[in-house]
Amino acid sequence: MGVSDWLAARAVRATQVLLVECPGAWALRVSTERAVAQRGWRIAPSPASADVLIVAGRPGTELAEVLDRLWEAMPGPRARLDIGAGSDIRTSLDDAAKRLTDSRAQAEDAAHRADRDPSVEEQHAEMDHAGHEGMDHRDDAAMGHGDDGEVDHEGMDHGSMDHEGMEMAPDGIPLAEGSEDDRDGLEMDAMPVRLGPVLPHWPAGLVLDVTLHGDLVVDATARLLDDNDVRTAGREEHATAKACDDVAALLDLAGWPDVATRARTARDQFLDGRDDTASATLADVRQGVTASRLLRWSLRGVGVLRPDRVREVGLPEHLAGDCLDRLDGLLDRAGDGTGSPVPVAALGQLVTGCDLAVARLVAASLGGSFARAGVSSGA
């Protein structure tokens, strides 16, 4: 074994996986996530840090195009897996490991990337972060804030923004447009930003187009790619486990990964049919949330939705309150398995007036499951 092969074999032990859930593939994503963890691999926070791209489920046309651009932006060595129902996930991960250590295949892949048309390369360059880096809330910037309290926008997904008609600075960098509603009277204060469809702890297939004044969302429109429903709850027997997964996503975004890990443990125990053990683990999660004054302080008063506003957009009244209230509600639903998708059109209205980091917390606190208006939430 040469030095390169030895280094590759060592590196594959620390493989990072960018795991993308397609609409309707919640159970498949969770199974893949568990297999990845059992192998000792980690979930990557961004395409730039990923070694393997795993697509769980069958993407529609729009999501497939996003994934292709995302794949082109990933640095090598790299491998891609498309996992569908009935796939042997462990065997697929074995195949990915072999590809990562196949120096000849990786050299050919690198040559292919180098031979790409320069204009295509420029289009793909903006996908390098694809809305991940800078929005990872699992570190000290848990709420998307830097040390000075300002939201960190580096790496947010601008790759699919429509820049037509926008004034361009040197080197083709788009300038933000002014607005009559500017708070400070300055030009260049309105910036369009797209969140999704690939973000950590983000509902499958969801895209949220927002207009920012500084960090403030002044306009927002939400939709589901390919006009599909994001029915992540799936079958009734998954509802309790799905609620635990939603709790974990909100806790991760709030910067509490240890408690989030316990919530995922409860999820997995429910899926394995160990309900008594899962209930005890879930009680431990609830105790952790209740006992942490800092966690409760960090979510208290954040993302407040007034009862009249909730009724106006057609949501159940239990979603009123702040993110802490909705976290407590998610824990309740994890205990009894209740819950239903939120009409996707409501999300844009609810996050208008929030800052960007809070908008992400609001989306997570609603339960992470969205559907087109008027569509049944049944399986």
Side-chain angles (χ1 to χ4, degrees):
M1 177 185 293
V3 173
S4 296
D5 292 334
W6 180 83
L7 289 173
R10 296 275 295 180
V12 80
R13 299 176 189 173
T15 296
Q16 294 199 59
V17 174
L18 184 64
L19 179 55
V20 179
E21 174 190 340
C22 297
W26 178 83
L28 186 58
R29 188 266 295 171
V30 170
S31 297
T32 305
E33 183 180 286
R34 297 178 67 181
V36 166
Q38 290 168 3
R39 197 181 186 92
W41 291 359
R42 295 177 295 168
I43 299 298
S46 73
S49 60
D51 307 296
V52 180
L53 170 64
I54 300 181
V55 181
R58 180 180 296 178
T61 302
E62 289 182 281
L63 182 56
E65 291 176 355
V66 172
L67 292 172
D68 287 343
R69 294 199 301 271
L70 223 158
W71 168 246
E72 291 299 323
M74 280 178 55
R78 62 183 187 169
R80 174 171 176 169
L81 299 176
D82 292 270
I83 296 180
S87 297
D88 187 328
I89 298 174
R90 288 180 174 80
T91 299
S92 297
L93 295 180
D94 289 339
D95 291 341
K98 291 177 182 177
R99 272 181 261 169
L100 289 175
T101 56
D102 187 337
S103 55
R104 175 176 295 180
Q106 293 299 328
E108 291 174 354
D109 182 49
H112 169 73
R113 293 201 305 274
D115 290 340
R116 282 201 309 244
D117 185 275
S119 63
V120 177
E121 182 72 25
E122 290 175 3
Q123 294 175 16
H124 292 158
E126 293 184 357
M127 292 296 296
D128 186 54
H129 299 289
H132 293 285
E133 191 168 351
M135 293 298 292
D136 182 11
H137 298 261
R138 290 176 293 176
D139 53 18
D140 291 337
M143 298 284 289
H145 296 273
D147 294 337
D148 56 359
E150 294 182 354
V151 172
D152 180 7
H153 294 266
E154 181 182 355
M156 290 194 312
D157 182 9
H158 301 273
S160 3
M161 288 182 356
D162 183 4
H163 294 148
E164 183 177 356
M166 293 180 64
E167 183 182 354
M168 305 296 282
D171 297 324
I173 301 172
L175 298 179
E177 298 175 346
S179 168
E180 61 182 9
D181 298 322
D182 289 347
R183 294 173 294 172
D184 53 13
L186 299 176
E187 296 290 338
M188 299 170 53
D189 195 28
M191 173 68 78
V193 172
R194 172 164 291 177
L195 299 179
V198 181
L199 280 170
H201 320 301
W202 186 254
L206 177 68
V207 170
L208 181 64
D209 288 300
V210 303
T211 301
L212 298 177
H213 284 190
D215 299 332
L216 185 70
V217 176
V218 296
D219 186 55
T221 304
R223 71 183 184 94
L224 300 174
L225 288 186
D226 303 302
D227 202 29
N228 289 330
D229 301 324
V230 181
R231 289 186 248 174
T232 50
R235 296 172 295 174
E236 183 178 351
E237 61 265 33
H238 289 162
T240 302
K242 172 63 173 61
C244 292
D245 197 55
D246 293 337
V247 168
L250 180 53
L251 288 170
D252 262 327
L253 281 173
W256 294 86
D258 291 341
V259 187
T261 297
R262 294 205 295 274
R264 290 192 179 90
T265 298
R267 173 201 70 187
D268 297 343
Q269 290 166 342
F270 277 122
L271 289 173
D272 292 340
R274 296 182 288 157
D275 289 5
D276 291 343
T277 304
S279 296
T281 304
L282 187 59
D284 183 51
V285 172
R286 186 186 293 275
Q287 175 62 28
V289 170
T290 302
S292 176
R293 293 183 179 179
L294 183 57
L295 171 61
R296 299 184 74 80
W297 171 83
S298 68
L299 293 178
R300 177 60 70 197
V302 173
V304 175
L305 305 179
R306 300 189 311 274
D308 59 335
R309 184 62 168 156
V310 167
R311 288 192 297 270
E312 180 184 337
V313 299
L315 298 182
E317 292 191 12
H318 71 259
L319 294 177
D322 55 26
C323 284
L324 179 58
D325 294 324
R326 289 188 291 278
L327 173 59
D328 290 335
L330 286 174
L331 286 166
D332 291 338
R333 289 192 288 283
D336 58 28
T338 60
S340 60
V342 171
V344 69
L347 179 61
Q349 301 176 56
L350 294 177
V351 301
T352 299
C354 299
D355 70 37
L356 196 59
V358 171
R360 290 207 58 192
L361 286 169
V362 169
S365 70
L366 293 174
S369 188
F370 295 87
R372 286 181 291 118
V375 176
S376 170
S377 62

